[in-house]
Amino acid sequence: MDQDHSVSSQTDAAYQSRRTRGRIRLRCVLALTRKEAYQIFRDPSSLIIAFVLPNILLLLFGWGISLDLGYIPIGVVVENRSADTNRIVAALRGSPYFMVREAEHRKELESLLVGGRIKGLVVLSQDLSARLNVGSAPVQVLVAGSDANTAELIVAYMETVLQKDRLHWAEEEGRPLRSGIINIEGRVWYNPNMDSRSAILPGSIAVIMTLIGTILTSLVVAREWERGTMEALLASSITRAEFLLGKFIPYFALGLTAMMLVAIVSVVVFAVPFRGSWAVLVGVSAVYLTVALGLGLFISTATRDQFVATQAALIVGYLPSFILSGLVFEIDSMPLPIRVLTHVLPPRYFVSALRTLFLAGNVWDVIIPDTLILCIFAAVLWNLTIRKTRLTLE
């Protein structure tokens, strides 16, 4: 009898379990919702992802970056000053697109164009006024093809500004609209075919190395803490230097191997020109990789949480290398605060060095300053990482 009663009770419990399994119990949902809400407010990373990250991205995309040009530094060579050349220079200076630097000889400004300190060079020839009086005159515009999109826009904007000024001049002087026409003769250095892959692929190496250097290493120390293996390391006789070198060396080798692979594929498969030295490329990449690894290890050491470390590495490592390095968006067209911010972002200097090495060659006026700045970043980040690393349970 008791056995029959027990079997009946088990059957009823199973039936009730099947019934409750198929319906939603409001009390359970509310309890879980309250628990998750408390967890969100207890965990700052959730609030950062929900409120801080979207606003940062919104400000960057809405205000900081643009595909249009603005206040691009250019040089103007005036070989013979006249009323026409003065008017052309004034038109360029009055344009919101350009910041003009004048010179009388081409050699004074060509080195600035090679070094990337100006983006274009306008040459007003000696016989410009004479040709304009006859009917039309050519104006040579030299641009660096290291950024094909910017180079194309500079030539187009230049043509628009100068032709509009000549139309105003014709109306003021009562001349026919077809008189005194300026013909823009654009010439692209380093990338004459304006191939966008030749400009993007070298810079993409910076993004790839940031992924390997910062995001992967941001997990290594945090993972030791979360898995509980850090206690075993602390119980050993390992020193702080041995610990950091053990974390640094594998990812350094991985990063350099990935860089060489990407560079060779870019040259062999995509026919991107490489005019610099492979040894210099390895040297500059090694310095940047040291910066990226130092940043990743610092984040991992400071957070001790893989999820938080990944988010932090994404915000301070990956996004700046993609958005604010000059790889996609022209830095000179960004607002002043964003331009100032890019000066403290290492990818800016690495992208500049990579494009120079691939498209122009060993231009030391660009490579040496960029590498020295990266060395300073590396020294600062590793100093912070060493200070933050504590082989104790505190």
Side-chain angles (χ1 to χ4, degrees):
M1 189 66 181
D2 292 341
Q3 189 175 4
D4 292 342
H5 179 71
S6 175
V7 171
S8 175
S9 299
Q10 289 178 2
T11 305
D12 291 343
Y15 175 73
Q16 289 297 329
S17 176
R18 284 197 298 272
R19 284 192 62 188
T20 54
R21 198 178 298 165
R23 67 184 185 185
I24 296 175
R25 291 173 297 175
L26 184 59
R27 182 189 297 177
C28 293
V29 173
L30 290 175
L32 281 173
T33 303
R34 189 163 53 247
K35 177 255 182 191
E36 288 301 324
Y38 288 149
Q39 181 62 30
I40 289 173
F41 286 102
R42 276 201 298 265
D43 183 6
S45 62
S46 300
L47 297 176
I48 290 173
I49 293 172
F51 298 111
V52 178
L53 183 58
N55 283 291
I56 290 175
L57 292 177
L58 187 64
L59 287 174
L60 282 177
F61 283 106
W63 179 59
I65 57 178
S66 170
L67 292 175
D68 301 323
L69 295 187
Y71 301 106
I72 297 295
I74 62 169
V76 178
V77 178
V78 183
E79 294 181 345
N80 183 20
R81 195 164 292 281
S82 66
D84 291 310
T85 58
N86 289 339
R87 185 177 182 104
I88 291 173
V89 173
L92 293 173
R93 286 189 184 279
S95 163
Y97 309 123
F98 305 112
M99 290 192 300
V100 177
R101 183 168 181 170
E102 270 187 80
E104 294 181 353
H105 303 285
R106 186 181 301 203
K107 287 185 178 179
E108 297 177 36
L109 297 177
E110 280 185 345
S111 60
L112 299 180
L113 183 62
V114 172
R117 289 189 286 277
I118 59 175
K119 302 297 182 182
L121 185 59
V122 183
V123 181
L124 305 180
S125 60
Q126 287 188 344
D127 57 350
L128 179 76
S129 295
R131 291 195 176 194
L132 283 175
N133 289 331
V134 174
S136 64
V139 169
Q140 190 177 44
V141 178
L142 307 175
V143 289
S146 53
D147 186 340
N149 184 55
T150 300
E152 196 170 357
L153 286 176
I154 288 175
V155 175
Y157 283 26
M158 190 83 66
E159 189 166 11
T160 301
V161 170
L162 295 185
Q163 297 302 352
K164 188 181 291 185
D165 178 68
R166 295 310 293 179
L167 289 176
H168 288 163
W169 169 81
E171 289 176 359
E172 290 173 1
E173 298 290 326
R175 302 280 187 92
L177 294 180
R178 296 185 61 81
S179 66
I181 293 176
I182 291 176
N183 296 317
I184 298 291
E185 294 181 350
R187 183 181 169 193
V188 183
W189 283 6
Y190 315 129
N191 185 14
N193 295 327
M194 306 282 270
D195 184 6
S196 59
R197 281 186 306 189
S198 298
I200 290 176
L201 285 180
S204 66
I205 294 177
V207 178
I208 293 167
M209 293 185 68
T210 302
L211 279 173
I212 294 174
T214 303
I215 295 184
L216 284 184
T217 52
S218 69
L219 302 175
V220 294
V221 179
R223 187 167 53 217
E224 299 279 6
W225 285 107
E226 289 192 359
R227 292 181 178 178
T229 52
M230 181 59 85
E231 284 80 357
L233 286 172
L234 298 181
S236 68
S237 59
I238 191 170
T239 64
R240 184 164 54 184
E242 292 168 345
F243 176 76
L244 289 175
L245 281 174
K247 299 293 183 187
F248 169 79
I249 292 172
Y251 291 97
F252 184 79
L254 185 68
L256 276 188
T257 305
M259 183 280 296
M260 287 301 297
L261 181 64
V262 173
I264 291 172
V265 170
S266 299
V267 173
V268 175
V269 178
F270 295 103
V272 175
F274 183 80
R275 301 187 174 99
S277 161
W278 287 96
V280 176
L281 175 64
V282 171
V284 176
S285 301
V287 175
Y288 179 73
L289 196 55
T290 305
V291 176
L293 290 169
L295 178 61
L297 284 174
F298 175 75
I299 292 171
S300 192
T301 305
T303 59
R304 297 187 179 186
D305 182 293
Q306 291 191 72
F307 177 73
V308 177
T310 306
Q311 302 306 314
L314 182 69
I315 295 172
V316 304
Y318 176 72
L319 287 179
S321 70
F322 188 74
I323 298 175
L324 301 177
S325 64
L327 172 64
V328 180
F329 305 102
E330 179 60 45
I331 292 176
D332 290 319
S333 299
M334 297 177 182
L336 180 61
I338 303 296
R339 292 205 304 272
V340 173
L341 175 65
T342 62
H343 285 284
V344 295
L345 298 175
R348 170 187 176 139
Y349 306 98
F350 190 44
V351 169
S352 168
L354 285 173
R355 281 180 168 168
T356 303
L357 276 170
F358 271 81
L359 300 179
N362 295 334
V363 181
W364 301 114
D365 288 345
V366 178
I367 295 171
I368 291 178
D370 288 343
T371 307
L372 289 177
I373 293 173
L374 289 175
C375 288
I376 295 172
F377 278 115
V380 171
L381 285 170
W382 276 97
N383 186 38
L384 291 174
T385 303
I386 292 170
R387 288 173 179 272
K388 192 67 181 175
T389 302
R390 294 279 188 274
L391 295 182
T392 64
L393 290 175
E394 295 178 357

